[in-house]
């Protein structure tokens, strides 16, 4: 049940305590992919996972702005502080729980949100407001489906392929070469296990990390199927969990 398209009277009749909240980011993804990549991907995985799950789930609208100050040098990038983001997510989940949907899976599409989401979900759970966990789709996928040399990166082959599957018109393959040539091959600048830099612009001229050309439509299809299957299994586990 997508809340955005549902009348409150039908929402009231929903016979479930399970809800999904997609969260993403609005941030640069190189010259070849849109600023909305992370929240569009989170929303698509959330929808497919809910569809694959055998039971009723309340699907909340996606949170489109997250913790993304590391991309601040690139036009169009939006961000909020971790404090603001945690509060926003926590209060949104509290409002879901107030209607009885108090088993909540956050479906995340942005690496920069991970730590804040873990903390927000733990706080809600420990305080007894809701049982909440966060699922980051690209951390959940099986490495075996990735061809040799394909890594996550940023605007790289993994997320670009997923986006090609769900919003093909928003990806420009003619810019893949530029993305690779003026991007970086690894995230950050490392010394003794420590990343020396904070902002993407310090190591990737156009913001891309990895070669989006190493992905494919076929990989996008597999990624969506795998991520949504993993989410459906997680929904099952969360639904059946007797959380104190
Ligand atoms: Zn991304």
């Amino acid at each position: 049940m997508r809340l955005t398209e549902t009348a409150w009277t039908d929402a009231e009749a929903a016979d479930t305590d399970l809800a999904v909240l997609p969260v993403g980011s609005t941030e640069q993804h190189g010259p070849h992919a849109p600023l909305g990549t992370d929240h569009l991907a989170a929303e698509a995985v959330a929808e497919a996972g809910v569809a694959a799950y055998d039971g009723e789930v309340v699907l909340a609208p996606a949170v489109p702005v997250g913790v993304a100050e590391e991309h601040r040098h690139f036009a169009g990038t939006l961000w909020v502080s971790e404090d603001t983001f945690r509060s926003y997510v926590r209060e949104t989940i509290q409002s879901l729980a107030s209607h009885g949907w108090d088993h909540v899976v956050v479906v995340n599409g942005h690496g920069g949100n991970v730590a804040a989401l873990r903390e927000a979900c733990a706080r809600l759970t420990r305080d007894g407001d809701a049982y909440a966990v966060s699922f980051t789709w690209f951390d959940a996928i099986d490495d075996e489906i990735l061809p040799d040399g394909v890594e996550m990166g940023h605007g790289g082959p993994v997320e670009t392929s997923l986006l090609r599957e769900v919003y093909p018109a928003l990806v420009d393959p003619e810019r893949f070469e530029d993305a690779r040539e003026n991007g970086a091959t690894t995230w950050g600048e490392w010394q003794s296990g420590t990343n020396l830099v904070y902002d993407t612009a310090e190591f990737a001229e156009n913001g891309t990390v990895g070669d989006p050309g190493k992905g494919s439509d076929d990989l996008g299809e597999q990624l969506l199927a795998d991520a949504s299957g993993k989410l459906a299994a997680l929904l099952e586990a969360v639904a059946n969990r007797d959380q104190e």
Side-chain angles (χ1 to χ4, degrees), residues 215-238:
S216 63
D217 293 341
D218 192 43
L219 177 61
E221 195 180 331
Q222 290 179 58
L223 288 167
L224 184 65
D226 190 55
S228 55
K230 297 279 169 36
L231 175 56
L234 177 62
L235 287 167
E236 180 88 40
V238 168

Side-chain angles (χ1 to χ4, degrees), residues 135-179:
F135 166 92
T136 297
W137 73 264
F138 47 78
D139 288 339
I141 53 171
D142 268 333
D143 285 346
E144 287 103 79
I145 65 175
L146 300 181
D148 278 350
V150 166
E151 288 174 5
M152 181 58 195
H154 182 76
V158 175
E159 41 183 2
T160 303
S161 294
L162 185 91
L163 208 66
R164 285 167 75 172
E165 168 68 9
V166 295
Y167 289 97
L170 300 184
V171 176
D172 185 353
E174 288 184 5
R175 296 185 182 176
F176 286 173
E177 202 183 314
D178 171 38

Side-chain angles (χ1 to χ4, degrees), residues 25 27-29 34-39 41 71 109-111 137-138 152-156 159-160:
S25 183
E27 69 184 41
Q28 71 84 14
H29 273 77
L35 290 148
T37 293
D38 288 351
H39 76 264
H71 299 296
H110 172 51
W137 73 264
F138 47 78
M152 181 58 195
H154 182 76
E159 41 183 2
T160 303

Side-chain angles (χ1 to χ4, degrees), residues 180-198:
R180 183 191 66 241
E181 281 178 7
N182 298 303
T185 52
T186 49
W187 182 273
E189 218 183 296
W190 295 82
Q191 174 63 52
S192 307
T194 300
N195 193 350
L196 298 170
V197 300
Y198 292 100

Side-chain angles (χ1 to χ4, degrees), residues 71-92:
H71 299 296
R72 68 198 165 99
H73 298 96
F74 298 92
T77 295
L78 308 179
W79 65 91
V80 293
S81 70
E82 292 208 25
D83 277 348
T84 300
F85 181 72
R86 277 192 299 265
S87 299
Y88 193 93
V89 168
R90 191 178 63 243
E91 291 173 28
T92 303

Side-chain angles (χ1 to χ4, degrees), residues 37-113:
T37 293
D38 288 351
H39 76 264
L40 295 174
E43 204 168 39
V45 168
E47 263 174 40
V50 165
Y53 173 70
D54 186 22
E56 194 167 11
V57 183
V58 169
L59 179 57
V63 175
V65 177
V67 181
E69 194 174 356
E70 69 270 25
H71 299 296
R72 68 198 165 99
H73 298 96
F74 298 92
T77 295
L78 308 179
W79 65 91
V80 293
S81 70
E82 292 208 25
D83 277 348
T84 300
F85 181 72
R86 277 192 299 265
S87 299
Y88 193 93
V89 168
R90 191 178 63 243
E91 291 173 28
T92 303
I93 292 175
Q94 283 168 335
S95 57
L96 287 166
S98 78
H99 304 300
W101 309 315
D102 59 1
H103 284 57
V104 180
V105 175
V106 177
V107 174
N108 176 42
H110 172 51
N113 292 342

